[in-house]
Amino acid sequence: MSEFTRRNRALTAGAGVAIAALALAGCTTTQDSNGGDSGSSEGGTITIATTNAFTSFNGDTPEANLDTNGMVGYLTGVSGGLGLGGFLRLDSDFSVLPNTDFGTYETVSEDPLTVKYTLNEGLTWSDGEPINADDMLVNWAISSGYYDDAVLDASTGDVTNGGTQYFSLAGSTAGLDTTSFPEIGDDNMSMTITYGTPYVDYELFNPIGKPAHVLAEKAGVSEADFIELLNTLPEGNPEAPVETNATLKAAADFWNTGYDVTSMPTDESLLVASGPFIVTDFTAEQSITLGKNPEYTGDMSPAYDQLIIRFIGDSNAQVTALQNGEVQAIQPQASADTLTALENANATVHSGDQLAYDHVDLSFGGVFADANVREAFLKTIPRQQILESIVTPVNPEAEVLNSQIFLPTDGDQYTTAVEASGYDQYTEPDIEGARALLAGATPTVRILYNTNNPNRVDSFRAIQQSAQQAGFVIEDAGSPDWSSLLGSGSYDASIFGWVSPGAGNAALPQIFKTGGGGNYNNYSNAEVDALVDQSQVTVDADELADLKVQIDAATAQDFYGLPLFQSPGLFADNGSVTGVTYFGGQTGIVWNAQEWTLAG
């Protein structure tokens, strides 16, 4: 889980398969503003370093919704709906850039909302198989949850009605309700979707993800038979669940876990890509290598031959590798020490605010089933101290974050949200107030965090020291494998970060709705569920902002947790690669990797 936006912010890690959501962060050649050099090749290798390791070729599941997974997914095709191998991606200002070399989409009708997606002729996957409407239909089925008929227990996530949930999404299916099954064009190159109600993020829906022919193969059927199955299976009805379809379940099981890897896969179908890059090598905990996709014919093929992404968790080690020429660009965790080291190394620094924030979430159940205990714990969190030790040395203008949805740069919207939520009451610890709420009790709280992340270690220690003064017994549940433990029930509070792709509202149901793909703390409030559902079909900007403020306030009143700070961002290069520019969204440093060139 990686480490948020000015335009219709989606707070995601990460994302239904095709919906933007939150994630857990030679010589030069002439290029156009929308991509690469139309396939020209200057050769060579560019090597960069990121903090987190790669774990899965499908970053759109709750377990694999990590920033590095998303980076690779973006370069090879799509991740969370945004990428170089689908209908759209984001520009530097987070506006939508249609990938017209891949296909086009148009609003056919506004009442009812109807959108048609048309693929360009001659597109193929990296294994040579054609890209057609089969692929769009399969990924619409995954994103929409059309066949699901399960009712899930809010506290455990267990199915309670004997139904089936097929695909496990990091994001949400909210807003993708349709009045009918998608209409497929006679040439099998277009798909038209008619929505039951206006969908706020319809322009970010991208019906391309994993290949239909690969999922069909994993389900043990031909692609034609798989598509026929999707056309004949009825829509799921939780009030009248039916027997699980074995073929669809097999495809879903593979999509859910089959792309997770601990070594370079021998099954090449896991590597099939639609974008300009394709994975050619992978060593767990060390690096992943991407080369040019030989079947890619679009406008974003890079001028260099391959991109190596090394995983170096220690920021000082990243700076050293940059200085020694082992890597040419880095995305370390921002700190005053890192900035000083980069200045001493004469590196070019690219910095800014990330669309990301660190936060503390409380698990609903166990020790925090009691609202008084939740409130008492929040009163002990030393947010100002945490800000001053981690962020202020990098950004002296930074302030404690007082919203789960808005950032200070949102101006009046942020101010309104803070007034409604009251998060600003928790800037400094109130130990006496916490003790009064505990009334002599000494609850044990297990805190999960990333032990390999110095900032999270510092946050944990500050919280531990403060909470113990109020009578809490704090157990260290930190782990280098913290992301795999999210939602496991093995902890009571968690410290981590969310990063936004930079557009959309899919994160609202992802995080705050009962059963949401990123709702790792089993939060459930019927009022919030209704507000979240309404947010997905509200297109008026003022009404949508008001709904977000209401969600922010309602979750705060439930003592959901506390936002800590907006994360500072930092890239650097050593002058041997050109084109690296700062981008605060989910794809981080690789957002324009297709445009980079080796310095001559």
Side-chain angles (χ1 to χ4, degrees):
M1 195 65 48
S2 71
E3 313 303 9
F4 153 32
T5 173
R6 297 293 301 280
R7 292 173 53 88
N8 298 327
R9 178 174 302 104
L11 285 179
T12 106
V17 59
I19 297 295
L22 287 171
L24 293 183
C27 299
T28 59
T29 183
T30 302
Q31 300 169 314
D32 59 52
S33 61
N34 290 326
D37 61 342
S38 303
S40 66
S41 177
E42 301 294 343
T45 296
I46 293 176
T47 303
I48 67 173
T50 61
T51 299
N52 297 316
F54 176 86
T55 64
S56 179
F57 289 97
N58 182 11
D60 294 321
T61 70
E63 292 75 18
N65 187 24
L66 314 178
D67 54 359
T68 304
N69 294 343
M71 289 179 182
V72 174
Y74 170 82
L75 294 170
T76 58
V78 296
S79 176
L82 307 172
L84 305 185
F87 283 91
L88 56 93
R89 67 192 195 281
L90 295 182
D91 205 350
S92 59
D93 62 353
F94 305 105
S95 59
V96 173
L97 277 177
N99 294 335
T100 54
D101 59 328
F102 187 86
T104 58
Y105 56 95
E106 60 176 324
T107 302
V108 178
S109 168
E110 293 186 353
D111 187 17
L113 178 60
T114 306
V115 184
K116 182 178 181 178
Y117 299 84
T118 304
L119 292 159
N120 292 347
E121 296 287 343
L123 298 175
T124 62
W125 295 96
S126 57
D127 61 358
E129 291 295 318
I131 299 175
N132 55 38
D134 291 356
D135 302 297
M136 293 195 288
L137 181 63
V138 167
N139 286 284
W140 167 83
I142 294 171
S143 300
S144 66
Y146 183 80
Y147 304 102
D148 291 348
D149 57 10
V151 174
L152 304 180
D153 183 271
S155 60
T156 66
D158 296 334
V159 176
T160 61
N161 68 335
T164 305
Q165 182 182 25
Y166 289 98
F167 297 92
S168 179
L169 302 173
S172 170
T173 62
L176 283 172
D177 297 329
T178 57
T179 58
S180 60
F181 197 79
E183 177 185 346
I184 304 301
D186 292 338
D187 59 356
N188 204 34
M189 294 297 287
S190 68
M191 181 176 74
T192 302
I193 298 176
T194 301
Y195 291 92
T197 52
Y199 175 37
V200 65
D201 285 348
Y202 80 93
E203 287 187 289
L204 293 172
F205 179 72
N206 184 18
I208 288 291
K210 295 305 181 187
H213 67 277
V214 171
L215 294 181
E217 177 189 358
K218 301 306 179 183
V221 296
S222 68
E223 181 176 335
D225 286 345
F226 190 45
I227 297 303
E228 178 64 21
L229 173 68
L230 297 183
N231 277 280
T232 55
L233 275 179
E235 181 179 5
N237 180 4
E239 296 182 0
V242 299
E243 183 178 352
T244 300
N245 182 274
T247 300
L248 185 58
K249 185 66 162 59
D253 287 348
F254 178 77
W255 189 90
N256 292 338
T257 62
Y259 285 96
D260 301 344
V261 292
T262 56
S263 62
M264 181 65 179
T266 57
D267 180 357
E268 295 187 356
S269 69
L270 273 66
L271 309 177
V272 176
S274 60
F277 294 86
I278 185 171
V279 172
T280 59
D281 197 14
F282 167 60
T283 302
E285 303 298 329
Q286 294 187 33
S287 67
I288 191 165
T289 302
L290 299 94
K292 290 185 177 184
N293 176 358
E295 298 294 326
Y296 178 77
T297 58
D299 298 330
M300 293 181 286
S301 185
Y304 52 97
D305 289 331
Q306 63 178 5
L307 173 66
I308 299 175
I309 304 175
R310 291 182 56 189
F311 320 133
I312 304 177
D314 182 84
S315 296
N316 289 329
Q318 282 198 34
V319 175
T320 299
L322 182 70
Q323 190 171 23
N324 294 340
E326 300 170 33
V327 301
Q328 290 147 300
I330 61 175
Q331 184 177 346
Q333 188 167 67
S335 71
D337 290 343
T338 303
L339 278 173
T340 299
L342 287 170
E343 291 171 359
N344 293 336
N346 294 318
T348 300
V349 175
H350 314 271
S351 61
D353 289 327
Q354 285 194 73
L355 301 186
Y357 72 107
D358 270 28
H359 52 98
V360 177
D361 291 353
L362 307 187
S363 297
F364 281 69
V367 67
F368 286 133
D370 186 334
N372 282 342
V373 179
R374 296 198 301 274
E375 183 181 4
F377 186 76
L378 298 189
K379 283 180 175 292
T380 70
I381 297 177
R383 296 199 299 157
Q384 185 66 38
Q385 176 188 336
I386 292 171
L387 177 81
E388 291 176 0
S389 66
I390 295 174
V391 183
T392 303
V394 181
N395 179 10
E397 304 301 318
E399 57 189 64
V400 168
L401 184 63
N402 288 314
S403 171
Q404 299 276 9
I405 298 175
F406 298 99
L407 293 174
T409 48
D410 289 310
D412 291 343
Q413 288 185 343
Y414 177 76
T415 302
T416 301
V418 175
E419 292 173 350
S421 69
Y423 278 126
D424 55 345
Q425 301 174 33
Y426 297 94
T427 300
E428 299 284 359
D430 177 9
I431 302 301
E432 292 304 318
R435 286 175 179 164
L437 285 165
L438 291 178
T442 57
T444 297
V445 176
R446 302 162 297 173
I447 302 181
L448 175 69
Y449 63 97
N450 182 1
T451 54
N452 286 339
N453 186 317
N455 287 357
R456 305 281 160 69
V457 173
D458 288 349
S459 294
F460 165 75
R461 289 175 178 168
I463 294 170
Q464 180 184 45
Q465 183 179 32
S466 181
Q468 287 174 342
Q469 297 178 40
F472 284 99
V473 177
I474 304 299
E475 290 188 357
D476 187 340
S479 170
D481 300 318
W482 66 278
S483 62
S484 66
L485 298 173
L486 286 170
S488 67
S490 62
Y491 59 92
D492 306 298
S494 56
I495 308 168
F496 65 97
W498 282 122
V499 62
S500 169
N505 299 275
L508 296 171
Q510 178 190 1
I511 302 175
F512 301 118
K513 187 175 179 178
T514 301
N519 186 350
Y520 300 112
N521 51 342
N522 292 319
Y523 175 73
S524 181
N525 179 320
E527 176 192 353
V528 172
D529 287 349
L531 290 169
V532 165
D533 286 344
Q534 190 177 351
S535 75
Q536 301 302 290
V537 296
T538 299
V539 295
D540 181 271
D542 292 336
E543 292 180 12
L544 179 59
D546 181 62
L547 286 169
K548 291 180 179 180
V549 169
Q550 292 182 59
I551 294 167
D552 215 8
T555 53
Q557 289 165 11
D558 287 335
F559 311 111
Y560 175 94
L562 280 180
L564 296 177
F565 53 79
Q566 182 178 4
S567 307
L570 185 63
F571 308 162
D573 68 77
N574 61 9
S576 61
V577 58
T578 60
V580 176
T581 57
Y582 186 75
F583 182 73
Q586 203 170 72
T587 50
I589 193 171
V590 304
W591 79 277
N592 69 335
Q594 74 279 5
E595 300 177 357
W596 297 348
T597 57
L598 288 161

